[in-house]
Amino acid sequence: DVYKRQSTLSGEIYERYRSTHRILLNGIADIVDMGIRDGSIGPCQPKIVVLALLSGLNSTIHWHRGNGNLSRLQTTDEILRYFLDGIAA
Protein backbone atom coordinates (compact mmCIF):
# COMPACT_ATOMS: atom_id res chain seq x y z
CA ASP A 1 0.00 0.00 0.00
CA VAL A 2 1.53 3.27 -1.13
CA TYR A 3 0.21 5.27 1.80
CA LYS A 4 1.69 2.86 4.32
CA ARG A 5 5.00 2.67 2.48
CA GLN A 6 5.32 6.45 2.17
CA SER A 7 6.00 6.61 5.89
CA THR A 8 9.19 4.61 5.34
CA LEU A 9 10.58 7.30 3.03
CA SER A 10 12.97 9.75 4.55
CA GLY A 11 14.15 13.31 4.11
CA GLU A 12 14.37 14.66 0.59
CA ILE A 13 12.69 11.64 -1.02
CA TYR A 14 9.66 11.98 1.27
CA GLU A 15 9.43 15.72 0.57
CA ARG A 16 9.65 15.09 -3.18
CA TYR A 17 6.90 12.48 -2.90
CA ARG A 18 4.66 14.83 -0.89
CA SER A 19 5.25 17.69 -3.34
CA THR A 20 4.41 15.52 -6.34
CA HIS A 21 1.36 14.14 -4.53
CA ARG A 22 0.08 17.67 -3.79
CA ILE A 23 0.64 18.76 -7.40
CA LEU A 24 -1.32 15.75 -8.66
CA LEU A 25 -4.21 16.22 -6.23
CA ASN A 26 -4.40 19.97 -6.89
CA GLY A 27 -4.28 19.40 -10.66
CA ILE A 28 -7.17 16.95 -10.59
CA ALA A 29 -9.10 19.24 -8.21
CA ASP A 30 -8.57 22.08 -10.70
CA ILE A 31 -10.12 19.91 -13.44
CA VAL A 32 -13.12 19.21 -11.20
CA ASP A 33 -13.39 22.94 -10.46
CA MET A 34 -13.40 23.73 -14.20
CA GLY A 35 -16.24 21.23 -14.60
CA ILE A 36 -18.18 22.97 -11.83
CA ARG A 37 -17.71 26.32 -13.53
CA ASP A 38 -18.78 25.06 -16.96
CA GLY A 39 -21.75 23.16 -15.51
CA SER A 40 -20.60 19.66 -16.46
CA ILE A 41 -20.06 18.80 -12.76
CA GLY A 42 -22.54 19.72 -10.04
CA PRO A 43 -21.65 21.82 -7.02
CA CYS A 44 -19.16 20.04 -4.77
CA GLN A 45 -15.87 20.42 -2.93
CA PRO A 46 -13.27 19.48 -5.57
CA LYS A 47 -10.57 18.25 -3.17
CA ILE A 48 -13.04 16.02 -1.32
CA VAL A 49 -14.28 14.58 -4.62
CA VAL A 50 -10.71 13.86 -5.74
CA LEU A 51 -9.73 12.23 -2.45
CA ALA A 52 -12.89 10.12 -2.39
CA LEU A 53 -12.42 9.00 -5.99
CA LEU A 54 -8.74 8.15 -5.58
CA SER A 55 -9.41 6.38 -2.28
CA GLY A 56 -12.15 4.32 -3.88
CA LEU A 57 -9.93 3.32 -6.77
CA ASN A 58 -6.81 2.69 -4.71
CA SER A 59 -8.58 0.61 -2.07
CA THR A 60 -9.69 -2.08 -4.52
CA ILE A 61 -6.30 -3.73 -4.12
CA HIS A 62 -7.24 -4.52 -0.51
CA TRP A 63 -10.63 -6.09 -1.08
CA HIS A 64 -10.90 -7.20 -4.73
CA ARG A 65 -9.89 -10.85 -4.95
CA GLY A 66 -10.52 -11.44 -8.66
CA ASN A 67 -12.68 -14.49 -8.07
CA GLY A 68 -16.05 -12.74 -8.23
CA ASN A 69 -18.30 -11.61 -11.04
CA LEU A 70 -16.16 -8.63 -12.06
CA SER A 71 -12.52 -8.32 -13.01
CA ARG A 72 -10.42 -5.60 -11.38
CA LEU A 73 -10.81 -3.45 -14.53
CA GLN A 74 -14.59 -3.94 -14.53
CA THR A 75 -14.69 -3.04 -10.84
CA THR A 76 -12.68 0.12 -11.51
CA ASP A 77 -15.06 1.03 -14.35
CA GLU A 78 -18.02 0.52 -12.03
CA ILE A 79 -16.50 2.78 -9.35
CA LEU A 80 -15.85 5.46 -11.98
CA ARG A 81 -19.43 5.12 -13.23
CA TYR A 82 -20.76 5.70 -9.70
CA PHE A 83 -18.71 8.87 -9.44
CA LEU A 84 -19.53 10.16 -12.91
CA ASP A 85 -23.19 9.17 -13.14
CA GLY A 86 -24.17 8.93 -9.49
CA ILE A 87 -26.23 6.20 -7.92
CA ALA A 88 -29.63 7.88 -8.02
CA ALA A 89 -32.34 6.07 -9.98
Coordinates of all heavy atoms in Angstrom, one line a residue:
D1 N 0.9 -1.2 0.0 CA 0.0 0.0 0.0 C 0.9 1.2 0.0 O 1.7 1.4 0.9 CB -0.9 -0.1 1.2 CG -1.7 1.1 1.5 OD1 -1.2 2.2 1.5 OD2 -2.9 1.0 1.6
V2 N 0.7 2.1 -1.0 CA 1.5 3.3 -1.1 C 1.5 4.2 0.1 O 2.5 4.7 0.5 CB 1.1 4.1 -2.4 CG1 1.9 5.4 -2.5 CG2 1.4 3.3 -3.6
Y3 N 0.3 4.4 0.7 CA 0.2 5.3 1.8 C 0.9 4.7 3.0 O 1.5 5.5 3.8 CB -1.2 5.6 2.1 CG -1.9 6.4 1.1 CD1 -2.8 5.9 0.1 CD2 -1.5 7.8 0.9 CE1 -3.3 6.7 -0.8 CE2 -2.0 8.6 -0.1 CZ -2.9 8.0 -0.9 OH -3.5 8.8 -1.9
K4 N 1.0 3.4 3.2 CA 1.7 2.9 4.3 C 3.2 2.9 4.1 O 4.0 3.2 4.9 CB 1.3 1.4 4.6 CG -0.1 1.3 5.1 CD -0.5 -0.1 5.4 CE -2.0 -0.2 5.8 NZ -2.4 -1.6 5.9
R5 N 3.6 2.7 2.8 CA 5.0 2.7 2.5 C 5.6 4.1 2.5 O 6.8 4.2 2.6 CB 5.2 2.0 1.2 CG 5.1 0.5 1.3 CD 5.5 -0.2 0.0 NE 4.3 -0.1 -0.8 CZ 4.3 -0.2 -2.1 NH1 5.4 -0.4 -2.8 NH2 3.2 0.0 -2.9
Q6 N 4.8 5.1 2.2 CA 5.3 6.5 2.2 C 6.0 6.8 3.5 O 6.9 7.6 3.5 CB 4.3 7.5 1.8 CG 3.3 7.8 2.9 CD 2.3 8.9 2.4 OE1 2.4 9.4 1.4 NE2 1.4 9.2 3.3
S7 N 5.5 6.3 4.6 CA 6.0 6.6 5.9 C 7.4 6.1 6.1 O 8.1 6.5 7.0 CB 5.1 6.1 7.0 OG 5.1 4.7 7.0
T8 N 7.8 5.1 5.2 CA 9.2 4.6 5.3 C 10.2 5.5 4.6 O 11.4 5.2 4.7 CB 9.3 3.1 4.8 OG1 8.9 3.1 3.4 CG2 8.3 2.3 5.6
L9 N 9.7 6.4 3.8 CA 10.6 7.3 3.0 C 11.2 8.3 4.0 O 10.6 8.6 5.0 CB 9.8 8.1 1.9 CG 9.1 7.2 0.9 CD1 8.3 8.1 0.0 CD2 10.1 6.4 0.1
S10 N 12.3 8.8 3.6 CA 13.0 9.7 4.5 C 13.4 11.0 3.8 O 13.7 11.0 2.6 CB 14.2 9.1 5.2 OG 15.1 8.7 4.3
G11 N 13.5 12.1 4.6 CA 14.1 13.3 4.1 C 13.7 13.8 2.8 O 12.5 14.0 2.5
E12 N 14.6 14.0 1.9 CA 14.4 14.7 0.6 C 13.4 13.8 -0.3 O 12.6 14.4 -1.0 CB 15.7 14.9 -0.1 CG 15.5 15.6 -1.5 CD 16.8 15.8 -2.2 OE1 17.9 15.8 -1.6 OE2 16.8 15.9 -3.4
I13 N 13.5 12.5 -0.2 CA 12.7 11.6 -1.0 C 11.2 11.8 -0.6 O 10.3 11.9 -1.4 CB 13.2 10.2 -0.9 CG1 14.5 10.1 -1.6 CG2 12.2 9.2 -1.6 CD1 15.2 8.7 -1.4
Y14 N 11.0 11.8 0.7 CA 9.7 12.0 1.3 C 9.1 13.3 0.8 O 7.9 13.4 0.4 CB 9.7 11.8 2.8 CG 8.3 12.1 3.4 CD1 7.3 11.1 3.3 CD2 8.0 13.3 4.0 CE1 6.0 11.3 3.8 CE2 6.7 13.5 4.5 CZ 5.7 12.5 4.4 OH 4.5 12.8 4.9
E15 N 9.9 14.4 1.0 CA 9.4 15.7 0.6 C 9.1 15.8 -0.9 O 8.1 16.4 -1.3 CB 10.5 16.8 1.0 CG 10.5 17.0 2.5 CD 9.2 17.3 3.1 OE1 8.4 18.1 2.5 OE2 8.9 16.8 4.2
R16 N 9.9 15.1 -1.7 CA 9.7 15.1 -3.2 C 8.3 14.3 -3.5 O 7.5 14.8 -4.3 CB 10.8 14.4 -3.9 CG 10.7 14.6 -5.4 CD 11.8 13.9 -6.1 NE 13.1 14.6 -5.8 CZ 14.3 14.1 -6.0 NH1 14.4 12.9 -6.7 NH2 15.3 14.7 -5.7
Y17 N 8.1 13.2 -2.8 CA 6.9 12.5 -2.9 C 5.7 13.3 -2.5 O 4.7 13.4 -3.2 CB 6.9 11.2 -2.0 CG 5.6 10.6 -1.9 CD1 5.0 9.8 -2.8 CD2 4.8 10.9 -0.7 CE1 3.8 9.2 -2.7 CE2 3.5 10.3 -0.6 CZ 3.0 9.5 -1.6 OH 1.8 9.0 -1.5
R18 N 5.8 14.0 -1.4 CA 4.7 14.8 -0.9 C 4.4 16.0 -1.9 O 3.2 16.3 -2.1 CB 4.9 15.4 0.5 CG 5.0 14.4 1.6 CD 3.6 13.7 1.8 NE 2.6 14.7 2.2 CZ 1.3 14.5 2.0 NH1 0.9 13.4 1.4 NH2 0.5 15.5 2.3
S19 N 5.4 16.6 -2.4 CA 5.3 17.7 -3.3 C 4.6 17.2 -4.6 O 3.6 17.8 -5.1 CB 6.6 18.3 -3.7 OG 6.5 19.3 -4.7
T20 N 5.0 16.1 -5.1 CA 4.4 15.5 -6.3 C 3.0 15.1 -6.1 O 2.1 15.4 -6.9 CB 5.2 14.3 -6.8 OG1 6.6 14.7 -7.1 CG2 4.6 13.7 -8.1
H21 N 2.7 14.5 -4.9 CA 1.4 14.1 -4.5 C 0.4 15.3 -4.5 O -0.7 15.3 -5.0 CB 1.4 13.4 -3.2 CG 0.2 12.8 -2.7 ND1 -0.6 13.3 -1.8 CD2 -0.4 11.7 -3.2 CE1 -1.7 12.5 -1.6 NE2 -1.6 11.5 -2.4
R22 N 0.9 16.4 -3.9 CA 0.1 17.7 -3.8 C -0.2 18.2 -5.2 O -1.3 18.7 -5.5 CB 0.8 18.7 -2.9 CG 0.5 18.6 -1.4 CD 1.0 19.8 -0.7 NE 2.4 20.0 -0.8 CZ 3.4 19.4 -0.1 NH1 3.0 18.5 0.9 NH2 4.7 19.7 -0.2
I23 N 0.8 18.3 -6.0 CA 0.6 18.8 -7.4 C -0.4 17.9 -8.1 O -1.3 18.5 -8.8 CB 2.0 18.8 -8.2 CG1 2.9 19.8 -7.6 CG2 1.8 19.0 -9.6 CD1 4.4 19.7 -8.0
L24 N -0.3 16.6 -8.0 CA -1.3 15.7 -8.7 C -2.7 16.0 -8.1 O -3.7 16.2 -8.9 CB -0.9 14.3 -8.4 CG -1.9 13.2 -9.0 CD1 -2.0 13.3 -10.5 CD2 -1.5 11.9 -8.5
L25 N -2.9 16.0 -6.8 CA -4.2 16.2 -6.2 C -4.8 17.6 -6.6 O -5.9 17.7 -7.0 CB -4.2 16.1 -4.7 CG -3.9 14.7 -4.2 CD1 -3.9 14.7 -2.6 CD2 -4.9 13.7 -4.6
N26 N -3.9 18.6 -6.5 CA -4.4 20.0 -6.9 C -4.8 20.1 -8.4 O -5.7 20.7 -8.7 CB -3.4 21.0 -6.5 CG -3.2 21.2 -5.0 OD1 -4.2 20.9 -4.3 ND2 -2.1 21.7 -4.6
G27 N -4.0 19.4 -9.2 CA -4.3 19.4 -10.7 C -5.6 18.8 -11.0 O -6.4 19.3 -11.8
I28 N -5.9 17.6 -10.4 CA -7.2 16.9 -10.6 C -8.3 17.8 -10.0 O -9.4 17.9 -10.6 CB -7.1 15.5 -10.0 CG1 -6.1 14.7 -10.7 CG2 -8.5 14.9 -10.2 CD1 -5.8 13.3 -10.1
A29 N -8.1 18.4 -8.8 CA -9.1 19.2 -8.2 C -9.4 20.4 -9.1 O -10.5 20.9 -9.2 CB -8.7 19.7 -6.8
D30 N -8.4 21.0 -9.8 CA -8.6 22.1 -10.7 C -9.5 21.7 -11.9 O -10.3 22.4 -12.3 CB -7.2 22.6 -11.2 CG -6.4 23.4 -10.2 OD1 -7.0 23.7 -9.1 OD2 -5.2 23.6 -10.4
I31 N -9.3 20.4 -12.4 CA -10.1 19.9 -13.4 C -11.6 19.8 -13.0 O -12.5 20.2 -13.7 CB -9.6 18.6 -13.9 CG1 -8.2 18.8 -14.6 CG2 -10.6 17.9 -14.9 CD1 -7.5 17.5 -14.9
V32 N -11.8 19.3 -11.8 CA -13.1 19.2 -11.2 C -13.7 20.6 -11.1 O -14.9 20.8 -11.4 CB -13.1 18.5 -9.8 CG1 -14.5 18.6 -9.2 CG2 -12.7 17.0 -10.0
D33 N -12.9 21.6 -10.6 CA -13.4 22.9 -10.5 C -13.8 23.5 -11.8 O -14.8 24.2 -11.9 CB -12.3 23.8 -9.8 CG -12.8 25.2 -9.4 OD1 -13.9 25.2 -8.7 OD2 -12.2 26.2 -9.8
M34 N -13.0 23.3 -12.9 CA -13.4 23.7 -14.2 C -14.7 23.1 -14.6 O -15.6 23.8 -15.2 CB -12.3 23.4 -15.2 CG -11.1 24.2 -15.1 SD -9.9 23.9 -16.5 CE -9.2 22.4 -16.0
G35 N -15.0 21.9 -14.3 CA -16.2 21.2 -14.6 C -17.4 21.9 -13.8 O -18.5 22.0 -14.4
I36 N -17.1 22.3 -12.6 CA -18.2 23.0 -11.8 C -18.5 24.3 -12.5 O -19.7 24.6 -12.7 CB -17.7 23.2 -10.4 CG1 -17.6 21.9 -9.6 CG2 -18.7 24.1 -9.6 CD1 -16.8 22.0 -8.3
R37 N -17.5 25.0 -12.9 CA -17.7 26.3 -13.5 C -18.4 26.2 -14.9 O -19.2 27.1 -15.2 CB -16.4 27.1 -13.7 CG -15.8 27.6 -12.4 CD -14.7 28.5 -12.6 NE -13.7 27.9 -13.4 CZ -12.4 27.6 -13.1 NH1 -12.0 28.0 -11.9 NH2 -11.6 27.0 -13.9
D38 N -18.1 25.2 -15.7 CA -18.8 25.1 -17.0 C -20.1 24.3 -16.9 O -20.8 24.1 -17.9 CB -17.8 24.5 -18.0 CG -17.6 23.0 -17.9 OD1 -18.3 22.3 -17.2 OD2 -16.6 22.5 -18.6
G39 N -20.5 23.8 -15.7 CA -21.7 23.2 -15.5 C -21.7 21.7 -15.8 O -22.8 21.0 -15.6
S40 N -20.6 21.1 -16.2 CA -20.6 19.7 -16.5 C -20.5 18.8 -15.2 O -20.7 17.6 -15.2 CB -19.5 19.3 -17.4 OG -18.2 19.6 -16.9
I41 N -20.1 19.5 -14.1 CA -20.1 18.8 -12.8 C -20.9 19.7 -11.8 O -20.8 20.9 -11.8 CB -18.6 18.7 -12.3 CG1 -17.8 17.8 -13.2 CG2 -18.6 18.2 -10.8 CD1 -16.3 17.7 -12.8
G42 N -21.7 19.0 -11.0 CA -22.5 19.7 -10.0 C -21.7 20.3 -8.9 O -20.5 20.0 -8.7
P43 N -22.3 21.2 -8.1 CA -21.7 21.8 -7.0 C -21.1 20.8 -6.1 O -21.8 19.8 -5.7 CB -22.7 22.6 -6.3 CG -23.8 22.8 -7.3 CD -23.7 21.6 -8.2
C44 N -19.8 21.0 -5.7 CA -19.2 20.0 -4.8 C -17.9 20.7 -4.3 O -17.5 21.7 -4.8 CB -18.9 18.7 -5.4 SG -17.8 18.8 -6.9
Q45 N -17.2 20.0 -3.4 CA -15.9 20.4 -2.9 C -14.8 19.6 -3.7 O -14.7 18.4 -3.5 CB -15.7 20.1 -1.4 CG -16.7 20.9 -0.6 CD -16.3 22.4 -0.6 OE1 -15.2 22.8 -0.6 NE2 -17.4 23.2 -0.7
P46 N -14.2 20.2 -4.7 CA -13.3 19.5 -5.6 C -12.2 18.6 -4.9 O -12.1 17.4 -5.3 CB -12.6 20.6 -6.4 CG -13.6 21.7 -6.4 CD -14.2 21.6 -5.1
K47 N -11.6 19.1 -3.8 CA -10.6 18.2 -3.2 C -11.2 17.0 -2.5 O -10.6 15.9 -2.5 CB -9.8 19.1 -2.2 CG -8.8 20.0 -2.9 CD -7.8 20.7 -2.0 CE -6.9 21.5 -2.8 NZ -5.9 22.2 -2.0
I48 N -12.4 17.2 -1.9 CA -13.0 16.0 -1.3 C -13.4 15.0 -2.4 O -13.2 13.8 -2.2 CB -14.3 16.5 -0.5 CG1 -13.8 17.3 0.7 CG2 -15.1 15.3 -0.1 CD1 -14.9 17.9 1.5
V49 N -13.9 15.5 -3.5 CA -14.3 14.6 -4.6 C -13.0 13.8 -5.1 O -13.1 12.6 -5.3 CB -14.9 15.4 -5.8 CG1 -15.0 14.5 -7.0 CG2 -16.3 15.9 -5.4
V50 N -11.9 14.5 -5.3 CA -10.7 13.9 -5.7 C -10.2 12.8 -4.7 O -9.9 11.7 -5.1 CB -9.6 14.9 -6.0 CG1 -8.3 14.2 -6.3 CG2 -10.0 15.8 -7.2
L51 N -10.2 13.2 -3.5 CA -9.7 12.2 -2.5 C -10.6 11.0 -2.4 O -10.2 9.9 -2.2 CB -9.6 12.9 -1.1 CG -8.5 14.0 -1.0 CD1 -8.6 14.7 0.3 CD2 -7.1 13.3 -1.1
A52 N -12.0 11.2 -2.5 CA -12.9 10.1 -2.4 C -12.7 9.2 -3.6 O -12.7 8.0 -3.5 CB -14.3 10.6 -2.3
L53 N -12.6 9.8 -4.8 CA -12.4 9.0 -6.0 C -11.1 8.2 -5.9 O -11.1 7.0 -6.2 CB -12.4 9.9 -7.2 CG -12.2 9.2 -8.6 CD1 -13.2 8.2 -8.8 CD2 -12.1 10.2 -9.7
L54 N -10.0 8.9 -5.6 CA -8.7 8.1 -5.6 C -8.7 7.1 -4.5 O -8.2 6.0 -4.7 CB -7.6 9.1 -5.4 CG -7.4 10.1 -6.6 CD1 -6.2 11.1 -6.3 CD2 -7.1 9.3 -7.9
S55 N -9.3 7.4 -3.4 CA -9.4 6.4 -2.3 C -10.2 5.2 -2.7 O -9.8 4.0 -2.5 CB -10.0 7.0 -1.0 OG -9.2 8.0 -0.5
G56 N -11.3 5.4 -3.4 CA -12.1 4.3 -3.9 C -11.4 3.4 -4.9 O -11.5 2.2 -4.8
L57 N -10.7 4.1 -5.8 CA -9.9 3.3 -6.8 C -8.7 2.6 -6.2 O -8.5 1.4 -6.5 CB -9.5 4.2 -7.9 CG -10.6 4.8 -8.8 CD1 -10.0 5.9 -9.7 CD2 -11.3 3.7 -9.5
N58 N -8.0 3.3 -5.3 CA -6.8 2.7 -4.7 C -7.1 1.6 -3.7 O -6.3 0.7 -3.5 CB -6.0 3.8 -4.0 CG -5.3 4.7 -5.0 OD1 -5.0 4.3 -6.1 ND2 -5.0 5.9 -4.6
S59 N -8.3 1.6 -3.1 CA -8.6 0.6 -2.1 C -9.0 -0.7 -2.7 O -9.0 -1.7 -1.9 CB -9.7 1.1 -1.1 OG -10.9 1.2 -1.8
T60 N -9.3 -0.8 -3.9 CA -9.7 -2.1 -4.5 C -8.6 -3.2 -4.4 O -8.9 -4.3 -4.3 CB -10.1 -2.0 -6.0 OG1 -8.9 -1.5 -6.7 CG2 -11.3 -1.1 -6.2
I61 N -7.4 -2.8 -4.3 CA -6.3 -3.7 -4.1 C -6.4 -4.5 -2.8 O -6.0 -5.6 -2.7 CB -4.9 -3.1 -4.3 CG1 -3.9 -4.1 -4.5 CG2 -4.6 -2.2 -3.1 CD1 -2.5 -3.6 -5.0
H62 N -7.1 -3.9 -1.8 CA -7.2 -4.5 -0.5 C -8.4 -5.5 -0.5 O -8.4 -6.5 0.3 CB -7.4 -3.5 0.6 CG -6.2 -2.6 0.7 ND1 -5.0 -3.0 1.2 CD2 -6.1 -1.3 0.4 CE1 -4.2 -2.0 1.2 NE2 -4.8 -1.0 0.7
W63 N -9.5 -5.2 -1.2 CA -10.6 -6.1 -1.1 C -11.0 -6.9 -2.3 O -11.7 -7.8 -2.3 CB -11.8 -5.3 -0.6 CG -12.2 -4.1 -1.4 CD1 -11.8 -2.8 -1.1 CD2 -13.0 -4.0 -2.6 NE1 -12.3 -1.9 -2.1 CE2 -13.0 -2.7 -3.0 CE3 -13.6 -5.0 -3.4 CZ2 -13.7 -2.3 -4.1 CZ3 -14.3 -4.6 -4.5 CH2 -14.4 -3.2 -4.9
H64 N -10.5 -6.5 -3.5 CA -10.9 -7.2 -4.7 C -10.0 -8.4 -4.8 O -8.8 -8.4 -4.9 CB -10.7 -6.3 -6.0 CG -11.3 -6.9 -7.2 ND1 -10.6 -7.8 -7.9 CD2 -12.5 -6.8 -7.8 CE1 -11.3 -8.2 -9.0 NE2 -12.5 -7.6 -8.9
R65 N -10.6 -9.6 -4.9 CA -9.9 -10.9 -5.0 C -9.8 -11.5 -6.3 O -9.1 -12.5 -6.6 CB -10.5 -11.9 -4.0 CG -10.5 -11.4 -2.5 CD -9.0 -11.4 -2.0 NE -9.0 -10.8 -0.7 CZ -8.2 -9.7 -0.4 NH1 -7.5 -9.1 -1.3 NH2 -8.2 -9.3 0.8
G66 N -10.6 -10.9 -7.3 CA -10.5 -11.4 -8.7 C -11.3 -12.7 -8.9 O -11.2 -13.3 -10.0
N67 N -12.0 -13.2 -7.9 CA -12.7 -14.5 -8.1 C -14.2 -14.3 -8.1 O -14.9 -15.2 -8.0 CB -12.3 -15.5 -7.0 CG -12.5 -15.0 -5.6 OD1 -13.0 -13.8 -5.4 ND2 -12.1 -15.8 -4.6
G68 N -14.6 -13.0 -8.2 CA -16.1 -12.7 -8.2 C -16.6 -12.5 -9.6 O -16.0 -13.0 -10.6
N69 N -17.7 -11.8 -9.8 CA -18.3 -11.6 -11.0 C -17.6 -10.6 -11.9 O -17.7 -10.6 -13.1 CB -19.7 -11.1 -10.8 CG -20.6 -12.2 -10.2 OD1 -20.3 -13.4 -10.3 ND2 -21.6 -11.7 -9.5
L70 N -16.8 -9.7 -11.3 CA -16.2 -8.6 -12.1 C -14.6 -8.7 -12.0 O -14.1 -9.0 -10.9 CB -16.6 -7.3 -11.5 CG -18.1 -6.9 -11.6 CD1 -18.4 -5.6 -10.9 CD2 -18.6 -6.9 -13.0
S71 N -14.0 -8.4 -13.1 CA -12.5 -8.3 -13.0 C -12.1 -7.0 -12.3 O -13.0 -6.2 -12.0 CB -12.0 -8.3 -14.4 OG -12.3 -7.1 -15.1
R72 N -10.9 -6.8 -12.0 CA -10.4 -5.6 -11.4 C -10.7 -4.4 -12.3 O -11.2 -3.4 -11.8 CB -8.9 -5.7 -11.1 CG -8.5 -4.5 -10.2 CD -7.1 -4.8 -9.7 NE -7.2 -6.1 -9.0 CZ -6.6 -6.3 -7.8 NH1 -6.0 -5.4 -7.2 NH2 -6.7 -7.5 -7.2
L73 N -10.5 -4.5 -13.6 CA -10.8 -3.4 -14.5 C -12.3 -3.1 -14.5 O -12.7 -2.0 -14.5 CB -10.3 -3.8 -15.9 CG -10.5 -2.8 -17.0 CD1 -9.9 -1.4 -16.6 CD2 -10.0 -3.2 -18.3
Q74 N -13.1 -4.2 -14.6 CA -14.6 -3.9 -14.5 C -15.0 -3.3 -13.2 O -15.9 -2.4 -13.2 CB -15.3 -5.3 -14.7 CG -15.2 -5.9 -16.1 CD -15.7 -7.3 -16.1 OE1 -15.4 -8.1 -15.3 NE2 -16.5 -7.6 -17.2
T75 N -14.4 -3.7 -12.1 CA -14.7 -3.0 -10.8 C -14.3 -1.6 -10.9 O -15.1 -0.7 -10.4 CB -14.0 -3.8 -9.7 OG1 -14.4 -5.2 -9.7 CG2 -14.2 -3.2 -8.4
T76 N -13.1 -1.3 -11.4 CA -12.7 0.1 -11.5 C -13.6 0.9 -12.4 O -14.0 2.0 -12.0 CB -11.3 0.2 -12.1 OG1 -10.4 -0.5 -11.2 CG2 -10.8 1.6 -12.3
D77 N -14.1 0.4 -13.5 CA -15.1 1.0 -14.4 C -16.4 1.3 -13.6 O -17.0 2.4 -13.8 CB -15.4 0.2 -15.6 CG -14.2 0.2 -16.6 OD1 -13.3 1.1 -16.5 OD2 -14.2 -0.7 -17.5
E78 N -16.8 0.4 -12.8 CA -18.0 0.5 -12.0 C -17.9 1.6 -11.0 O -18.8 2.5 -10.8 CB -18.3 -0.8 -11.3 CG -19.7 -0.9 -10.8 CD -20.8 -1.0 -11.9 OE1 -20.5 -1.2 -13.1 OE2 -22.0 -1.0 -11.5
I79 N -16.7 1.7 -10.3 CA -16.5 2.8 -9.4 C -16.5 4.1 -10.1 O -17.2 5.1 -9.6 CB -15.2 2.6 -8.6 CG1 -15.3 1.3 -7.7 CG2 -14.8 3.8 -7.8 CD1 -13.9 0.9 -7.1
L80 N -15.9 4.2 -11.2 CA -15.9 5.5 -12.0 C -17.3 5.8 -12.4 O -17.6 7.0 -12.4 CB -14.9 5.3 -13.2 CG -13.5 5.4 -12.9 CD1 -12.7 5.1 -14.2 CD2 -13.0 6.7 -12.3
R81 N -18.0 4.9 -12.8 CA -19.4 5.1 -13.2 C -20.2 5.7 -12.1 O -21.0 6.7 -12.2 CB -20.1 3.8 -13.7 CG -21.5 4.1 -14.3 CD -22.2 2.8 -14.8 NE -22.5 1.9 -13.7 CZ -23.5 2.0 -12.9 NH1 -24.3 3.1 -13.0 NH2 -23.7 1.1 -11.9
Y82 N -20.0 5.2 -10.9 CA -20.8 5.7 -9.7 C -20.4 7.2 -9.5 O -21.3 8.0 -9.2 CB -20.4 4.9 -8.4 CG -20.9 3.5 -8.4 CD1 -20.2 2.5 -7.7 CD2 -21.9 3.0 -9.2 CE1 -20.6 1.2 -7.7 CE2 -22.3 1.7 -9.2 CZ -21.6 0.8 -8.4 OH -22.0 -0.5 -8.4
F83 N -19.1 7.5 -9.6 CA -18.7 8.9 -9.4 C -19.2 9.8 -10.6 O -19.6 10.9 -10.3 CB -17.2 9.0 -9.3 CG -16.7 8.9 -7.9 CD1 -16.5 7.6 -7.4 CD2 -16.5 10.0 -7.2 CE1 -16.1 7.5 -6.0 CE2 -16.1 9.9 -5.9 CZ -15.9 8.6 -5.3
L84 N -19.2 9.3 -11.8 CA -19.5 10.2 -12.9 C -21.0 10.3 -13.1 O -21.5 11.3 -13.5 CB -18.9 9.7 -14.2 CG -17.3 9.7 -14.2 CD1 -16.8 9.0 -15.4 CD2 -16.8 11.1 -14.0
D85 N -21.8 9.2 -12.9 CA -23.2 9.2 -13.1 C -24.0 9.2 -11.9 O -25.2 9.5 -11.9 CB -23.6 7.9 -13.9 CG -22.9 7.8 -15.3 OD1 -22.5 8.8 -15.8 OD2 -22.9 6.7 -15.8
G86 N -23.4 9.0 -10.7 CA -24.2 8.9 -9.5 C -24.9 7.6 -9.3 O -24.8 6.7 -10.2
I87 N -25.5 7.5 -8.2 CA -26.2 6.2 -7.9 C -27.7 6.4 -7.8 O -28.5 5.5 -7.6 CB -25.7 5.5 -6.6 CG1 -25.9 6.4 -5.4 CG2 -24.3 5.1 -6.8 CD1 -25.6 5.7 -4.1
A88 N -28.2 7.6 -8.1 CA -29.6 7.9 -8.0 C -30.3 7.2 -9.2 O -29.8 7.0 -10.3 CB -29.9 9.4 -8.1
A89 N -31.6 6.8 -8.9 CA -32.3 6.1 -10.0 C -32.8 7.1 -11.0 O -33.0 8.2 -10.8 CB -33.5 5.4 -9.4

